[in-house]
């Protein structure tokens, strides 16, 4: 089973690239982030025509997450995180597909920091960690897949100096991510590439793609039962180089 996380940076703008990816790679499950689409304008018909069922939690203009499943309809378990009833951001969608529990996660960016956006990011990590603990208690195969907007280690970026003041690499952001892992989750890509140096995001600015000046912020975390089934993990980097591509590359894990 191949599970992909893919921040599409606008599903309407990137729909040709997404459909291309589905046709060429035929992943079993795809967790999408940053749809920038309301629920009403989500391109369900195009995705179904490609052979995928879909759940989505949209928001006009920004945010938005979805779960796609090849040849079947994902069963919704939860949308949104508890803890802040006034939070209307569409950033979390949890579903079940063929016995596997998956969550599509779009963690807040947090810039500029310090400030209210960074405070919201840290609170959101705490809320995610609470939900993650409940999922672990179910003793199921679970994949928490998404754009975490956290660079976990120094070797997960092309330049520590360039990113040192960014919310993605602050000690508090990293501590929140490490606390999540400490519950018992496995960072699948880190397991496959323990020395780092593999990127999932390249900015549109300053020739970042051409210079390979990227960093790793898209993660697939595995519960212990899912980690026992880990076969491989990687990044489909070439898709970042296609015309009008997202600034993220599809990132994946393969489970038995």
């Amino acid at each position: 089973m191949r599970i992909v996380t893919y921040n599409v940076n606008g599903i309407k703008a990137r729909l040709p690239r997404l459909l291309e990816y589905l046709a060429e790679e035929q992943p079993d499950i795809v967790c999408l982030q940053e749809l920038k689409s309301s629920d009403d304008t989500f391109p369900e018909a195009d995705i179904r025509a490609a052979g995928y069922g879909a759940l989505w939690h949209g928001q006009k203009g920004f945010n938005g997450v979805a779960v796609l499943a090849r040849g079947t309809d994902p069963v919704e378990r939860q949308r949104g995180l508890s803890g802040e009833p006034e939070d209307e951001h569409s950033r979390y969608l949890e579903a079940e597909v063929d016995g596997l529990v998956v969550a599509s996660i779009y963690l807040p960016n947090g810039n500029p920091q310090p400030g209210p956006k960074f405070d919201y990011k840290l609170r959101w990590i705490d809320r995610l960690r609470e939900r993650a603990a409940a999922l672990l208690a179910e003793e199921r195969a679970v994949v928490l897949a998404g754009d975490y907007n956290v660079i976990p280690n120094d070797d997960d970026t092309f330049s520590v100096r360039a990113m040192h003041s960014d919310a993605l690499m602050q000690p508090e952001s990293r501590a929140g991510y490490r606390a999540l892992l400490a519950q018992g989750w496995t960072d699948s890509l880190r397991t496959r590439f323990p020395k780092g140096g593999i990127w999932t995001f390249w900015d549109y600015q300053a020739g970042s793609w051409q210079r390979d000046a990227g960093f790793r912020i898209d993660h697939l975390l595995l519960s212990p039962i899912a980690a026992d089934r880990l076969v491989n993990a990687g990044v489909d980097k070439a898709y970042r180089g296609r015309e009008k591509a997202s600034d993220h590359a599809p990132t994946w894990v393969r489970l038995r």
Side-chain angles (χ1 to χ4, degrees):
M1 181 178 282
R2 193 170 194 240
I3 302 101
V4 172
T5 183
Y6 193 5
N7 180 319
V8 292
N9 190 19
I11 193 166
K12 287 177 280 188
R14 316 293 171 204
L15 187 59
R17 296 289 79 79
L18 174 61
L19 296 177
E20 189 175 74
Y21 182 76
L22 296 178
E24 293 175 5
E25 303 295 334
Q26 297 194 1
D28 297 288
I29 301 171
V30 183
C31 295
L32 301 176
Q33 301 87 38
E34 209 171 350
L35 302 178
K36 299 181 181 179
S37 166
S38 68
D39 283 340
D40 293 340
T41 57
F42 182 84
E44 179 185 13
D46 295 289
I47 288 170
R48 286 202 175 277
Y52 286 78
L55 289 172
W56 60 94
H57 183 23
Q59 189 169 351
K60 185 178 180 179
F62 65 119
N63 299 331
V65 285
V67 177
L68 315 183
R70 184 161 62 94
T72 189
D73 288 318
V75 178
E76 182 172 328
R77 285 171 51 102
Q78 180 171 313
R79 61 178 55 208
L81 294 172
S82 62
E84 291 192 31
E86 69 280 8
D87 183 6
E88 297 181 349
H89 286 200
S90 300
R91 295 183 176 275
Y92 184 89
L93 184 61
E94 184 182 303
E96 185 167 336
V97 181
D98 294 333
L100 181 73
V101 177
V102 296
S104 183
I105 293 165
Y106 183 40
L107 205 143
N109 178 282
N111 283 303
Q113 69 82 30
K117 290 186 176 181
F118 189 60
D119 295 341
Y120 171 62
K121 177 192 186 93
L122 299 182
R123 293 197 310 273
W124 207 94
I125 294 175
D126 289 342
R127 292 161 59 201
L128 174 62
R129 194 161 62 243
E130 184 177 335
R131 180 59 191 158
L135 287 169
L136 284 177
E138 294 186 28
E139 297 187 350
R140 301 276 306 275
V142 183
V143 180
L144 302 180
D147 175 0
Y148 283 69
N149 272 313
V150 176
I151 299 170
N153 310 285
D154 285 356
D155 56 13
D156 287 320
T157 176
F158 76 102
S159 170
V160 171
R161 181 178 178 181
M163 298 302 297
H164 81 279
S165 63
D166 197 285
L168 278 60
M169 219 174 80
Q170 293 311 296
E172 299 91 338
S173 304
R174 288 179 162 184
Y177 185 80
R178 286 196 302 270
L180 187 60
L181 292 181
Q183 292 180 334
W185 299 92
T186 294
D187 182 335
S188 56
L189 206 60
R190 188 72 179 180
T191 299
R192 176 68 177 83
F193 301 95
K195 295 182 180 179
I198 184 165
W199 321 139
T200 66
F201 171 90
W202 297 257
D203 200 291
Y204 292 130
Q205 307 300 318
S208 296
W209 169 248
Q210 292 77 9
R211 297 186 294 117
D212 197 28
F215 40 84
R216 184 174 79 99
I217 54 175
D218 301 274
H219 311 306
L220 298 108
L221 305 190
L222 311 179
S223 69
I225 292 173
D228 286 344
R229 295 165 51 185
L230 176 61
V231 176
N232 203 356
V235 180
D236 288 330
K237 180 178 177 179
Y239 285 89
R240 172 61 180 84
R242 298 196 179 187
E243 184 180 1
K244 295 183 180 179
S246 170
D247 42 9
H248 294 250
T251 304
W252 55 268
V253 64
R254 188 180 298 279
L255 306 180
R256 284 190 296 273

